[in-house]
């Protein structure tokens, strides 16, 4: 067995109850072997064993009182995975599915993603099994305050700087920030994704979706193609999906689908971003509401999905952008996309494609942008927010957006060049994993066994 296979099989024996973590580890470790063969120093330093074990994980009880006066108890976590190249950085997810294994998958991805951005930030992830859906603003506020009572002692502007993720948007970040300030009396950049009136960065809200499209643009240009005139499917209807749609229009493409946990919308005339924002961000309503407001839109509920399928990927498109959640695009979905002539898939969500789906895309040789490269624009702009906070300054939208565009183009070039170095031209899974890995591994070796 190779070094990476050995480490993977040890992880499988130790963490059989963390399937998402094992899936992410498998996807990463398998592609690193050529770099490990080329440089035996990584194995000698047991880098893979050290990289796949978090530096530390906090798990805590979060207790709060709902609007009916009932006591509620949730589980909270922070996985501080790797600080070799900078302070821990990675989002908080509030969703009923959250557990340690899901946060470890996200944290492991985050280490390499943050490295790829070219900025000095380590990898982390956190969250709670709390569902903000259906809760009043006051309940969300009380939960965020209770969560921060536990988290505040482990974070800091040069220690660990969390951000948002699924279920944690501007509202939640505001309540979390207020709670931190009250507990510590310190006004400092301990969270990113903050509101513009209290230290947030312009363009951070849009950054993941915009960055995804900038990355795709660079990837297509390298193939002598462009987004202009492309019909696109997008999944998800939250932060990443919304700004992906907005930027696709700006690039001359047309998004025709969006989805949420209740179903998906297909509108051949193109998704109306203002209506999407109204329904999901202001009304916090399910997507069926979108179809009430836009007569040309058709809503298909999840109850009508064929078993094991996500029919949003059956729509005939040129390019697909999964932007909802992990494992939302499986091997059958990938085959359906390819059969309909889809030539490009770029991932806004983390690990949206199963390993079977990824293999289909690589086999077909289409332009495939894996999440840790394609969706790195969010965290890259979070780092820009940290820079502005540290300098007590605020840059213009154009300045931040211009830096984001550069970062995504450089990131694509780095991943593509690394794939070429290993004679696997176009394999950005390998290119991104190895490029992200080498920087972290070199820093770990330089810092010794600590
Ligand atoms: P949001 O909470 O804003 O939106 C998530 C969207 O995905 C919602 O429309 C939600 O539906 C849908 N969704 C969530 N779970 C499921 C599910 N099991 N089945 C179907 N739909 C689902 O989150 P974000 O847009 O911030 O995050 C989306 C993805 O992008 C995640 O994978 C996240 O990790 C990743 N990401 C986010 C970044 C960011 O900056 N926000 C940065 C990098 C990656 P509903 O409205 O019904 O809940």
């Amino acid at each position: 067995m190779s070094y990476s296979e050995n480490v993977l099989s040890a992880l499988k024996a130790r963490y059989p109850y963390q399937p998402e973590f094992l899936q992410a580890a498998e996807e990463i470790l398998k592609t690193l072997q050529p770099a490990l063969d080329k440089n035996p120093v990584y194995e000698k330093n047991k880098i893979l064993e050290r990289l796949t074990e978090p530096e530390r994980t906090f798990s805590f009880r979060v207790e709060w009182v709902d609007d009916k006066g009932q006591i509620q108890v949730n589980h909270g976590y922070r996985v501080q995975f790797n600080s070799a190249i900078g302070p821990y950085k990675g989002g908080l997810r509030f969703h009923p599915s959250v557990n340690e294994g899901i946060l470890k998958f996200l944290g492991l991805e985050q280490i390499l993603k943050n490295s790829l951005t070219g900025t000095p930030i380590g990898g982390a992830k956190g969250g709670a099994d709390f569902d903000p859906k259906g809760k009043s603003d006051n309940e969300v506020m009380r939960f965020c305050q209770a969560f921060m009572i536990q988290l505040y002692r482990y974070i800091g502007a040069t220690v660990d700087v969390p951000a948002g993720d699924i279920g944690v948007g501007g509202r939640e970040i505001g309540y979390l920030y207020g709670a931190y300030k009250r507990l510590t009396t310190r006004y400092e950049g301990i969270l990113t994704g903050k509101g513009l009136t209290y230290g947030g960065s312009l363009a951070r809200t849009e950054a993941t979706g915009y960055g995804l499209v900038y990355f795709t643009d660079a990837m297509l240009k390298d193939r002598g193609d462009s987004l202009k005139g492309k019909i696109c499917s997008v999944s998800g209807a939250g932060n990443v999906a919304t700004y992906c749609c907005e930027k696709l229009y700006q690039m001359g493409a047309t998004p025709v689908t969006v989805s949420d946990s209740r179903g998906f919308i297909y509108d051949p005339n193109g998704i109306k971003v203002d209506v999407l924002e109204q329904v999901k961000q202001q009304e916090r309503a399910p997507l069926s509401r979108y179809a009430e407001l836009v007569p040309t839109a058709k809503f298909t509920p999840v109850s009508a999905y064929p078993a094991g399928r996500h029919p949003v990927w059956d729509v005939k498109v040129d390019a697909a952008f999964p932007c909802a959640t992990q494992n939302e695009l499986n091997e059958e979905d990938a085959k359906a996309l390819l059969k309909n002539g889809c030539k490009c898939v770029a991932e806004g969500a983390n690990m949206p494609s199963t390993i079977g789906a990824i293999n289909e895309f690589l086999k077909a040789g289409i332009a495939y942008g894996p999440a840790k490269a394609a969706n790195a624009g969010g965290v890259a702009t979070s780092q820009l927010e940290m820079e502005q906070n540290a300098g007590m300054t605020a840059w213009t939208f154009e300045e931040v957006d211009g830096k984001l565009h550069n970062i995504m183009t450089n990131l694509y070039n780095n991943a593509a060049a690394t794939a070429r170095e290993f004679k696997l031209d176009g394999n950005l899974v390998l290119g991104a994993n190895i490029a992200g890995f080498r920087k972290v591994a070199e820093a770990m070796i330089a810092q010794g066994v600590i």
Side-chain angles (χ1 to χ4, degrees):
M1 269 206 283
S2 68
Y3 173 40
S4 58
E5 284 167 343
N6 264 326
V7 173
L8 186 62
S9 86
L11 287 175
K12 283 181 174 168
R14 189 174 311 151
Y15 299 114
Y17 50 91
Q18 295 181 345
E20 293 87 359
F21 171 62
L22 293 177
Q23 182 184 337
E26 179 167 351
E27 187 258 290
I28 291 169
L29 293 187
K30 280 195 167 158
T31 58
L32 294 182
Q33 195 54 49
L36 303 169
D37 290 339
K38 197 168 172 180
N39 193 349
V41 77
Y42 299 136
E43 182 171 357
K44 190 166 152 253
N45 281 278
K46 296 212 167 168
I47 288 296
L48 292 189
E49 290 88 334
R50 294 159 66 192
L51 186 76
T52 51
E53 196 60 48
E55 288 175 16
R56 68 190 69 78
T57 299
F58 302 107
S59 139
F60 43 84
R61 186 180 72 209
V62 186
E63 47 189 40
W64 56 284
V65 179
D66 68 18
D67 285 348
K68 295 190 191 106
Q70 302 289 320
I71 296 171
Q72 300 289 338
V73 182
N74 288 98
H75 295 280
Y77 307 85
R78 185 69 178 164
V79 182
Q80 295 183 334
F81 221 123
N82 192 295
S83 61
I85 64 167
Y88 305 106
K89 182 93 196 85
L92 298 172
R93 177 176 289 192
F94 291 168
H95 193 271
S97 64
V98 163
N99 58 40
E100 193 179 333
I102 288 188
L103 297 176
K104 278 177 64 186
F105 119 60
L106 290 162
L108 183 63
E109 289 272 306
Q110 196 82 46
I111 301 169
L112 302 187
K113 180 189 308 191
N114 292 2
S115 166
L116 272 173
T117 63
T119 64
I121 43 178
K125 204 79 192 188
D129 61 353
F130 169 76
D131 190 355
K133 239 181 270 162
K135 305 286 190 303
S136 70
D137 277 357
N138 276 334
E139 288 177 320
V140 170
M141 181 175 71
R142 285 196 294 275
F143 175 81
C144 289
Q145 291 170 341
F147 185 84
M148 190 52 87
I149 284 175
Q150 292 288 351
L151 187 69
Y152 84 96
R153 65 196 88 226
Y154 309 122
I155 61 177
T158 56
V159 179
D160 183 354
V161 185
D165 190 76
I166 291 178
V168 179
R171 174 182 60 169
E172 289 76 15
I173 292 287
Y175 293 147
L176 289 163
Y177 191 72
Y180 178 87
K181 199 161 56 68
R182 183 171 172 191
L183 286 161
T184 63
T185 69
R186 296 176 77 93
Y187 205 105
E188 54 187 11
I190 45 86
L191 288 168
T192 55
K194 299 187 290 300
L196 296 177
T197 52
Y198 62 96
S201 172
L202 284 162
R204 172 59 188 95
T205 307
E206 295 84 354
T208 309
Y210 278 23
L212 171 65
V213 178
Y214 291 146
F215 180 93
T216 308
D217 182 49
M219 177 167 71
L220 289 177
K221 270 194 186 134
D222 207 13
R223 291 171 172 247
D225 198 355
S226 85
L227 276 163
K228 203 164 173 44
K230 296 249 181 314
I231 303 298
C232 307
S233 50
V234 176
S235 67
N239 172 274
V240 181
T242 301
Y243 297 104
C244 169
C245 289
E246 186 169 283
K247 186 51 80 175
L248 282 172
Y249 281 119
Q250 291 173 17
M251 292 283 193
T254 307
V256 293
T257 68
V258 280
S259 69
D260 69 6
S261 53
R262 323 266 181 101
F264 83 95
I265 289 284
Y266 170 54
D267 186 346
N269 293 341
I271 295 298
K272 294 192 177 3
V273 176
D274 55 342
V275 179
L276 183 63
E277 281 177 328
Q278 178 195 325
V279 170
K280 296 304 291 188
Q281 289 173 32
Q282 285 149 38
E283 297 182 19
R284 296 186 190 271
L287 268 183
S288 48
R289 168 86 177 125
Y290 181 103
E292 288 169 20
L293 298 171
V294 182
T296 50
K298 178 173 178 281
F299 178 72
T300 306
V302 168
S303 57
Y305 287 10
R309 291 295 323 284
H310 304 93
V312 66
W313 309 122
D314 288 343
V315 175
K316 187 171 165 45
V317 291
D318 306 306
F321 297 84
C323 296
T325 192
Q326 63 268 11
N327 293 329
E328 54 161 320
L329 197 169
N330 60 29
E331 192 172 330
E332 292 311 305
D333 301 325
K335 285 180 178 156
L337 275 171
L338 293 168
K339 193 166 146 236
N340 277 329
C342 178
K343 291 276 182 299
C344 169
V345 175
E347 298 179 336
N350 282 310
M351 204 169 77
S353 308
T354 61
I355 289 180
I358 296 171
N359 289 339
E360 289 298 319
F361 297 143
L362 293 178
K363 208 164 63 188
I366 62 163
Y368 169 60
K372 74 173 70 61
N375 75 20
V379 73
T381 308
S382 275
Q383 197 277 340
L384 299 178
E385 183 174 328
M386 289 165 71
E387 264 186 73
Q388 291 169 80
N389 291 166
M392 298 281 276
T393 187
W395 302 333
T396 63
F397 188 98
E398 290 69 29
E399 202 172 347
V400 180
D401 190 35
K403 285 177 194 276
L404 167 66
H405 201 154
N406 274 343
I407 289 172
M408 296 314 291
T409 307
N410 291 342
L411 197 156
Y412 170 76
N413 289 338
N414 185 9
T418 308
R420 274 195 294 279
E421 178 190 334
F422 287 91
K423 313 261 175 297
L424 280 164
D425 204 0
N427 185 335
L428 298 173
V429 179
L430 177 137
N433 283 339
I434 293 183
F437 166 78
R438 285 200 291 210
K439 181 173 165 194
V440 175
E442 297 300 332
M444 287 173 75
I445 292 167
Q447 290 169 35
V449 180
I450 44 175

